[in-house]
Amino acid sequence: IDIKMPRQAAVLDLMHHIYIAQKNWRALEDIFPAMRKAKVLSNVEFEALEVLLACEKMQAQSVQSKSLLIAERLPALQTLWKSYSRSVQKRPAVIAAYAQALVENYQDQEAEIIVRKALANTWYEPLVSLYGRLQVKEIHNQIRTLEGWLKNNPQDPTLLLSMGRVMLRNQQWELAREYFQRSLNLQKSMEASMELSNLMERLGEHQRANEYYRLSVELAGQHQEPNKG
C-alpha cells in the first residue's frame, strides 16, 4: 500500500495554506502541478486558485513593466497573457487584472478592446467600472459603446457611474452630474458621491460639494465597519 501519497497530499495542503498566508505566489505556483496530481483540492477550488495565481502574476508583471520603456510594456504584458491557458483567459477576474495592468502601463487603447470584447460575453462589474476610467483617444466611440450598454442595462449603477466619468472627461458637466446622480440614487456608493462632490466644487456649488463629500465619508465608514474585529 502506498502511504506516501496521502501524506504528500497533507503536506502539500499545509504548504499551500502557508504560502497563501505569506502571499508567496511563486512558491504556490511551483507546487500547483503536484497539488493537482495529489488532488489536494476540489476542481472548483483548483479553478479559483488558478485564477488567483494568474491575477497575482499579472499584477507583479504590471509593476515590473513600469520600469521598461513605454514601447516595451505592451509586448511584456501580452507575453504573459498569451502564456495563460484558454480557460484562464476567459475568466472575467483574469481579464480585469490584465486590463488593469494595461491601464497602469499607459496602454488604455489596448485595454479598451479587451474590456469591450469581454463585456460582450459576460457582464462583470469591475470591467464596467474600469471602462469608465479608460483614457482613450476616440472618446465618442467610448460614449457610443456605453450608450449601447445602457439601453440593455438602464438601471446599472456602475454603468451610470462610468458614463458620468466619460462625460466628465468630455467636459459635459451637466450630463456627468445627471449620470452620477442617477447612479447614486440606485446605489449609495462612495465613488459616485465623491465624483459629485468634486464636480460641484468645480462648478462653484460649494455647499452641495460639502454635502456630497460628507456623504462619501459616511459611506466609506460604513464600508469599513464589517471588517472590525
Side-chain angles (χ1 to χ4, degrees):
I1 300 163
D2 185 9
I3 59 157
K4 188 166 153 264
M5 206 61 195
R7 261 191 64 200
Q8 190 193 11
V11 170
L12 285 167
D13 191 34
L14 179 64
M15 286 167 73
H16 134 255
H17 284 295
I18 291 168
Y19 290 152
I20 283 181
Q22 294 173 338
K23 293 185 163 54
N24 190 344
W25 310 119
R26 184 162 287 181
L28 192 52
E29 195 179 5
D30 287 342
I31 65 164
F32 188 82
M35 282 174 62
R36 182 162 263 176
K37 196 175 175 187
K39 296 187 168 60
V40 173
L41 303 173
S42 69
N43 286 341
V44 172
E45 288 170 322
F46 267 123
E47 278 179 24
L49 184 57
E50 197 172 24
V51 166
L52 173 68
L53 286 172
C55 291
E56 293 295 340
K57 203 170 179 182
M58 188 58 78
Q59 283 168 9
Q61 182 61 59
S62 176
V63 173
Q64 279 180 3
S65 297
K66 287 175 187 172
S67 64
L68 299 172
L69 295 169
I70 297 280
E72 294 170 353
R73 295 181 183 192
L74 181 57
L77 292 167
Q78 282 176 330
T79 299
L80 176 56
W81 173 253
K82 285 170 188 167
S83 76
Y84 293 160
S85 68
R86 293 288 296 146
S87 62
V88 168
Q89 284 182 352
K90 285 179 181 165
R91 302 305 286 263
V94 180
I95 297 169
Y98 180 39
Q100 183 62 42
L102 289 166
V103 170
E104 286 169 8
N105 285 280
Y106 306 109
Q107 305 299 322
D108 292 50
Q109 295 294 130
E110 185 70 19
E112 193 278 334
I113 298 163
I114 301 285
V115 175
R116 180 162 37 84
K117 284 182 179 172
L119 287 171
N121 294 322
T122 310
W123 198 248
Y124 184 62
E125 194 182 329
L127 284 174
V128 178
S129 176
L130 183 62
Y131 196 82
R133 296 196 297 271
L134 296 176
Q135 309 273 325
V136 295
K137 293 185 192 84
E138 294 295 326
I139 195 166
H140 298 293
N141 290 346
Q142 193 179 12
I143 290 169
R144 269 199 296 277
T145 298
L146 285 162
E147 283 172 345
W149 289 337
L150 270 169
K151 279 184 189 140
N152 299 324
N153 308 277
Q155 302 294 307
D156 188 315
T158 307
L159 183 54
L160 289 163
L161 178 63
S162 283
M163 191 61 154
R165 282 174 167 155
V166 176
M167 287 300 173
L168 200 61
R169 270 191 53 233
N170 208 33
Q171 300 184 349
Q172 291 175 271
W173 316 128
E174 280 309 314
L175 277 172
R177 178 184 193 163
E178 190 187 309
Y179 282 116
F180 289 145
Q181 191 63 62
R182 278 170 63 190
S183 175
L184 193 63
N185 291 347
L186 286 161
Q187 184 182 60
K188 291 278 178 279
S189 82
M190 185 189 72
E191 288 186 74
S193 52
M194 204 66 216
E195 290 285 7
L196 277 163
S197 174
N198 293 336
L199 180 56
M200 293 299 102
E201 195 63 54
R202 175 180 262 167
L203 296 175
E205 296 187 33
H206 304 298
Q207 193 181 332
R208 295 298 302 279
N210 288 337
E211 284 168 19
Y212 285 122
Y213 179 74
R214 278 199 296 274
L215 176 61
S216 61
V217 170
E218 191 184 307
L219 291 165
Q222 286 172 15
H223 197 62
Q224 285 168 350
E225 270 169 25
N227 297 334
K228 283 181 183 171

